[in-house]
Amino acid sequence: MRAVRALSAALLTLGVAAGPAAADASPSPSQDEASAPTRAGTSFRTATEIEQGQPATASGSTGDYLYWSFPADTGQRPTVEATVKLPESHASQTWQIDVYDGLRRRQACQYGAQTRTAAADAPSVKLACVLRTVRAWSEPWANDPLPGTYYVRLTATGVATADLGLPVGSDVRVDSRDIGGSAAVDGSLAEPLVPGVATKPGQEREDAAVLAGLEPEDGWASGRWSDRWVWTAAGGIMAALAGVGGYALTRGTGRPSRVPPA
């Protein structure tokens, strides 16, 4: 009976510990649409900064390269969505959305319609790219997503000559799902991959000019505590209690019976 009570208490502890971790996975509230950016950059250096959850719009011409940048931290799985509003009359067009990290390495999409072809005279085309989970650390030769600045590039890859220069509109939004401790690794970066953050040493970095100034609301969390430690500790407690309960249930089965004296 004691073993059953101990196991019940352990399960309750595990549920309480996992509660905050599950709450952290909820998406952050959207930014005020009134302050949403209404333009896009034309290169990596001029990319318009946007926060996650903040809608952004921009006007351009068919054939232009449109750039935005956003911060992504450890344990997040960003999803980039874009809608291109096409002119009333146009030929078939192919549009593509690409995502690059702070080292300008193109990141593969786990899934999503990264490239789509709009039929002639179609009013719009929608694109999406779900990145892999951002890791706190990776081997130098790997191409894993790491915490830092990410760049979104939107452009048309297949356009008829007659359609070049036609006006288009675009809506872009980035959201993330917090994966949590299941994606945690042992190790962390000395600095997030924010272009320009390491151009000056020591205390001067705080005043150094960087190419991307946005960061997560709570700061960069690379290498900090994660809910993986909660699950590890809870698993150790469960294993210990299971051992105690097993001993209590089996105690005395191998002891010889007492024979009353004659």
Side-chain angles (χ1 to χ4, degrees):
M1 192 66 179
R2 293 179 180 177
V4 174
R5 292 177 180 176
L7 290 175
S8 300
L11 289 173
L12 179 61
T13 302
L14 181 61
V16 172
D24 291 341
S26 58
S28 58
S30 300
Q31 300 289 331
D32 184 7
E33 293 189 6
S35 61
T38 56
R39 65 179 182 85
T42 56
S43 67
F44 287 102
R45 294 183 63 87
T46 61
T48 299
E49 296 181 342
I50 58 175
E51 296 277 7
Q52 291 193 27
Q54 180 183 38
T57 61
S59 299
S61 300
T62 306
D64 289 346
Y65 287 93
L66 305 178
Y67 287 83
W68 295 266
S69 66
F70 66 93
D73 205 4
T74 302
Q76 294 183 338
R77 181 180 292 168
T79 298
V80 182
E81 297 179 323
T83 300
V84 182
K85 300 175 182 178
L86 303 174
E88 293 183 0
S89 178
H90 62 84
S92 175
Q93 297 183 4
T94 299
W95 286 79
Q96 180 170 313
I97 188 170
D98 296 299
V99 183
Y100 300 82
D101 65 10
L103 298 179
R104 299 187 185 179
R105 302 178 302 179
R106 184 175 179 274
Q107 292 295 317
C109 301
Q110 271 194 321
Y111 48 89
Q114 182 182 8
T115 302
R116 268 190 172 174
T117 300
D121 298 334
S124 64
V125 59
K126 293 185 178 180
L127 307 166
C129 175
V130 180
L131 297 176
R132 294 171 294 167
T133 303
V134 178
R135 296 163 56 89
W137 179 86
S138 177
E139 294 287 351
W141 47 261
N143 195 36
D144 295 320
L146 295 170
T149 300
Y150 283 78
Y151 296 93
V152 179
R153 185 179 73 180
L154 178 65
T155 187
T157 60
V159 182
T161 304
D163 286 347
L164 291 175
L166 291 179
V168 294
S170 59
D171 296 329
V172 174
R173 183 184 177 95
V174 180
D175 293 290
S176 282
R177 176 185 175 189
D178 191 356
I179 303 302
S182 62
V185 296
D186 294 327
S188 62
L189 297 180
E191 296 286 351
L193 298 182
V194 177
V197 74
T199 55
K200 294 187 178 182
Q203 297 295 329
E204 295 184 8
R205 291 183 183 177
E206 297 181 0
D207 301 325
V210 296
L211 299 182
L214 291 181
E215 64 178 39
E217 292 183 1
D218 299 330
W220 298 105
S222 178
R224 294 183 185 173
W225 179 91
S226 71
D227 58 0
R228 182 179 67 164
W229 300 108
V230 175
W231 292 99
T232 302
I237 295 174
M238 290 288 291
L241 291 177
V244 173
Y247 174 77
L249 292 174
T250 59
R251 184 178 59 179
T253 56
R255 293 164 55 185
S257 59
R258 295 184 179 182
V259 178

